[in-house]
Amino acid sequence: MTDVRPKQDRSRATRQRLLETTIRCLATHGWETSTVGFIAAEAGLSRGAVQHHYRTREALILGALEFMFEERAALLDALPEPTGAGTARVHRVVAGLVDTIGGELFRAALQVWTVAAADPELRAAVVPLERRFARGVHLRAVRLLGVDDTDPEVRALLQATLDMARGLALADVLTDDSRRRARVVRAWSTQLAAALQPISPDSHAK
Amino acid sequence: MTDVRPKQDRSRATRQRLLETTIRCLATHGWETSTVGFIAAEAGLSRGAVQHHYRTREALILGALEFMFEERAALLDALPEPTGAGTARVHRVVAGLVDTIGGELFRAALQVWTVAAADPELRAAVVPLERRFARGVHLRAVRLLGVDDTDPEVRALLQATLDMARGLALADVLTDDSRRRARVVRAWSTQLAAALQPISPDSHAK
């Protein structure tokens, strides 16, 4: 069958498949295995087709991370405003943040961070990407929780929550940690809700 | 000068230097660079001397992780019982746990976890080591905080604290995160102290 979509759309679809495959390869097979040739084969593309989009392995991997960071942020934006109040709302938001930060994207990013730890050039390219993603998630957490982040206490607690989410993501890399994670997220959310209660603008509306 | 220490002591000192060098190499130069030959040269030993202690690279790296995990746990045991009560005590303990989990040991372990994520054989060897370390740190946290960990809420909050500590350790891999970390540790410690207060046996003694 001939693909009747305009050439630009096909190119965009190919690029998306390539970037998603790159993330999956990194997460499943690790950095060393994830060469341009390996990723191209997994995506059903020629090496030349890949290099048409991304000239080097580093450009491909950074492009994939950036694309996935944006996808994750868009997923948070697409979440309905959490209903309910107090602990139930906070719990729903924290669980959403933990999902956003963890999983396959985290495992892929971990491969890149680990190599970047000993490679100043890669590190210089990864740090701004990572910062932008972290800031985006933080801003969305503020919106979803309906809190005032100019309060330094609130800001530090949201950061602590995102640090905990990264720790949970790490704990899930070598073993399936989902049951323990659910308990930890619940306990944390209860404390966070209690801490945000008196300072949240929403608390006056109840 | 001739080393006049008994042969066994010299061998123990050599082994310790080798293991500490292994951790430093992994943390600074990463997994790929940290071959037996590279580590041996950094430790001022012959490859044969290293292989006398550890037959394979994996055995050397796992031996180094185990040794450092034990050293870190011993450091926690050597801490004086924290004095004071409430937030100040909890803050001191959380800061100690964050130090224990982070730093060079974390960066070295991260290299191993990342490779183990795509290597089932290495993973099978790393997971029990990692579990034992995590359990040891958890038990010491219980003792230092003087809390009752049979309470599932307390247990989940301590686990959340250790997850946060791992997230903070990760955030410090690519950039120096120490200033932000201090604020996050302080904010969470305040919440944890408030949460533990009514359930801590110590709270009755004040």
Side-chain angles (χ1 to χ4, degrees):
Chain A
M1 239 172 65
T2 316
D3 191 336
V4 294
R5 291 173 297 173
K7 193 173 169 212
Q8 211 184 341
D9 286 5
R10 265 181 292 151
S11 173
R12 196 179 297 132
T14 301
R15 187 172 159 272
Q16 177 160 346
R17 187 171 83 237
L18 171 60
L19 298 179
E20 285 168 354
T21 305
T22 303
I23 295 297
R24 187 167 46 73
C25 286
L26 280 169
T28 312
H29 303 286
W31 174 273
E32 240 184 285
T33 304
S34 301
T35 59
V36 169
F38 183 84
I39 294 168
E42 290 283 309
L45 295 168
S46 70
R47 183 194 293 263
V50 171
Q51 284 167 338
H52 169 72
H53 290 278
Y54 296 96
R55 234 169 40 81
T56 66
R57 183 196 194 199
E58 273 67 22
L60 170 61
I61 285 174
L62 292 171
L65 276 186
E66 186 166 23
F67 173 76
M68 294 301 289
F69 283 160
E70 278 162 15
E71 291 269 288
R72 290 282 176 111
L75 277 181
L76 278 182
D77 284 337
L79 282 184
E81 287 288 326
T83 52
T87 306
R89 177 193 183 128
V90 171
H91 181 247
R92 209 165 302 128
V93 174
V94 172
L97 294 170
V98 166
D99 285 347
T100 301
I101 285 174
E104 192 174 71
L105 174 60
F106 180 86
R107 286 199 293 277
L110 187 64
Q111 295 288 331
V112 181
W113 294 332
T114 303
V115 173
D119 178 339
E121 208 172 309
L122 183 60
R123 184 162 63 229
V126 167
V127 165
L129 267 191
E130 174 56 25
R131 280 244 171 86
R132 203 170 342 133
F133 178 60
R135 197 161 42 227
V137 172
H138 186 99
L139 287 174
R140 285 162 177 95
V142 169
R143 181 178 63 72
L144 290 167
L145 290 168
V147 290
D148 174 15
D149 158 74
T150 59
D151 181 322
E153 193 62 20
V154 171
R155 189 160 60 240
L157 282 174
L158 291 190
Q159 291 189 351
T161 302
L162 300 177
D163 285 309
M164 182 210 58
R166 270 185 289 271
L168 285 173
L170 191 60
D172 202 50
V173 167
L174 296 188
T175 51
D176 176 2
D177 191 44
S178 45
R179 286 186 58 193
R180 190 190 72 91
R181 182 169 65 240
R183 286 196 300 272
V184 167
V185 165
R186 192 168 298 275
W188 182 280
S189 301
T190 305
Q191 289 319 310
L192 183 63
L196 294 178
Q197 188 75 2
I199 34 187
S200 155
D202 275 29
S203 61
H204 304 299
K206 278 199 298 286
Chain B
M1 241 172 64
T2 317
D3 191 335
V4 295
R5 289 174 298 173
K7 195 175 166 206
Q8 212 185 339
D9 286 5
R10 266 181 292 152
S11 172
R12 194 178 299 131
T14 301
R15 186 172 158 273
Q16 176 160 346
R17 188 171 83 238
L18 171 60
L19 298 178
E20 286 168 354
T21 305
T22 303
I23 295 297
R24 187 168 46 73
C25 285
L26 280 169
T28 311
H29 302 287
W31 175 272
E32 239 183 288
T33 304
S34 300
T35 59
V36 169
F38 183 84
I39 295 168
E42 289 283 309
L45 295 168
S46 70
R47 181 193 292 263
V50 171
Q51 284 166 340
H52 169 73
H53 290 279
Y54 297 96
R55 235 169 38 81
T56 65
R57 184 196 193 198
E58 273 67 22
L60 170 61
I61 285 173
L62 291 171
L65 276 186
E66 185 165 27
F67 173 76
M68 293 301 289
F69 283 160
E70 279 162 14
E71 292 269 288
R72 289 282 176 112
L75 277 181
L76 278 181
D77 284 337
L79 283 183
E81 287 289 326
T83 52
T87 306
R89 177 193 183 126
V90 171
H91 180 247
R92 209 164 300 127
V93 173
V94 172
L97 294 170
V98 166
D99 286 346
T100 300
I101 284 173
E104 190 173 73
L105 174 59
F106 180 86
R107 286 198 293 275
L110 187 64
Q111 295 288 330
V112 181
W113 295 332
T114 302
V115 173
D119 178 340
E121 208 172 308
L122 183 60
R123 185 162 61 228
V126 167
V127 166
L129 267 190
E130 175 55 28
R131 281 242 170 87
R132 202 169 346 130
F133 177 60
R135 199 159 42 225
V137 171
H138 186 99
L139 288 174
R140 285 165 178 92
V142 168
R143 181 178 64 72
L144 290 167
L145 290 168
V147 291
D148 174 14
D149 158 74
T150 60
D151 181 321
E153 192 62 21
V154 171
R155 191 161 57 241
L157 282 173
L158 291 190
Q159 290 188 352
T161 303
L162 299 177
D163 286 309
M164 182 200 66
R166 269 185 289 269
L168 286 171
L170 192 59
D172 201 49
V173 167
L174 296 188
T175 51
D176 176 2
D177 191 45
S178 46
R179 286 186 57 194
R180 191 190 72 91
R181 182 169 66 240
R183 286 197 299 271
V184 167
V185 165
R186 191 168 298 274
W188 174 245
S189 299
T190 305
Q191 294 316 312
L192 183 63
L196 295 177
Q197 188 75 1
I199 34 188
S200 154
D202 276 28
S203 61
H204 304 299
K206 278 199 299 286

